[in-house]
Amino acid sequence: AQSVTQPDIHITVSEGASLELRCNYSYGATPYLFWYVQSPGQGLQLLLKYFSGDTLVQGIKGFEAEFKRSQSSFNLRKPSVHWSDAAEYFCAVGARTNAGKSTFGDGTTLTVKP
Amino acid sequence: DTEVTQTPKHLVMGMTNKKSLKCEQHMGHRAMYWYKQKAKKPPELMFVYSYEKLSINESVPSRFSPECPNSSLLNLHLHALQPEDSALYLCASSHGTGGQGELFFGEGSRLTVL
């Protein structure tokens, strides 16, 4: 069975500082990997996705993520955080043989200090 | 701007009421989903429709009844709900029906059951 772990429940960074949110997955083969962001009272928005190929993927809003098969990780990074980045971030895995069932991590809440 | 539209945004209902949540997408997506999200938790999959047929029911109580009248519309009929059903209900769609499909979410319908 597939699973996703986001080890950090809550992260606080200062505006302008760099950010890394961790995501570890468990799956028997190469999974489809996603990062979503959810602002308060909103739905989820896709930041980026990895299917295959280049292990460093670029997303919207200046985010990037790196797939590391040896570490079963797909960490999200941003070089300089903006106050508007404060939100809930979810890592998700979509199995190639489990149609329609994405598995979400528990999420990481990002707080940005001025 | 979301391309998945959910109505109503807020709903308050008593335990004996019957109400419906509605979702609409015009992206030509063939898979549509209902998720339930409690505060500070990830979305939990409830139902998946693939090509207008119910393909996944995650053992959801029968007081929740999904309906897919056509490829653009998805309803969730609510009857005899319990206070613990209070949550944010998210509709999503995806182009593909496999796990590779990124999910496009609506902003959700916040349900309160009194």
Side-chain angles (χ1 to χ4, degrees):
Chain A
Q2 62 204 57
S3 66
V4 179
T5 301
Q6 294 181 244
D8 305 304
I9 297 173
H10 194 170
I11 284 186
T12 299
V13 298
S14 298
E15 192 169 13
S18 63
L19 171 70
E20 182 170 34
L21 301 182
R22 295 183 291 164
C23 173
N24 294 99
Y25 69 89
S26 174
Y27 185 63
T30 301
Y32 300 115
L33 294 163
F34 308 87
W35 274 100
Y36 291 89
V37 61
Q38 185 177 31
S39 297
Q42 302 290 314
L44 282 73
Q45 181 184 23
L46 181 75
L47 285 175
L48 46 77
K49 59 190 177 188
Y50 173 78
F51 292 166
S52 64
D54 193 348
T55 57
L56 184 64
V57 293
Q58 303 296 320
I60 62 171
K61 304 185 181 190
F63 285 92
E64 67 177 27
E66 186 171 12
F67 170 63
K68 292 186 177 180
R69 184 191 305 275
S70 61
Q71 297 176 21
S72 298
S73 69
F74 188 57
N75 294 347
L76 182 72
R77 300 193 294 249
K78 186 170 185 178
S80 177
V81 168
H82 188 263
W83 64 267
S84 60
D85 293 325
E88 189 79 15
Y89 290 80
F90 294 99
C91 182
V93 59
R96 292 171 186 258
T97 58
N98 205 1
K101 295 186 74 166
S102 293
T103 299
F104 287 85
D106 285 342
T108 298
T109 303
L110 174 65
T111 298
V112 180
K113 292 191 303 184
Chain B
D1 291 339
T2 181
E3 297 185 66
V4 176
T5 304
Q6 291 188 241
T7 56
K9 291 193 184 305
H10 300 275
L11 179 63
V12 179
M13 60 186 291
M15 289 189 284
T16 59
N17 292 158
K18 286 186 182 180
K19 298 285 185 183
S20 297
L21 306 180
K22 298 185 183 303
C23 175
E24 190 168 4
Q25 59 89 12
H26 293 288
M27 295 178 281
H29 289 173
R30 304 317 302 241
M32 296 186 75
Y33 311 75
W34 280 115
Y35 283 86
K36 173 183 178 180
Q37 187 180 29
K38 291 281 207 180
K40 300 296 186 184
K41 294 292 185 184
E44 297 173 36
L45 184 64
M46 300 175 71
F47 304 102
V48 180
Y49 273 84
S50 175
Y51 291 91
E52 301 166 45
K53 288 189 182 342
L54 183 64
S55 60
I56 295 176
N57 176 341
E58 290 287 272
S59 302
V60 179
S62 60
R63 58 186 184 268
F64 295 91
S65 175
E67 178 195 19
C68 189
N70 59 55
S71 61
S72 299
L73 294 174
L74 186 66
N75 298 322
L76 186 63
H77 302 299
L78 314 171
H79 174 53
L81 295 192
Q82 303 297 310
E84 60 264 29
D85 297 322
S86 298
L88 182 68
Y89 288 84
L90 293 164
C91 174
S93 68
S94 65
H95 179 72
T97 57
Q100 78 277 20
E102 67 179 88
L103 296 168
F104 290 78
F105 284 88
E107 294 189 350
S109 293
R110 185 160 300 281
L111 174 66
T112 302
V113 182
L114 302 177

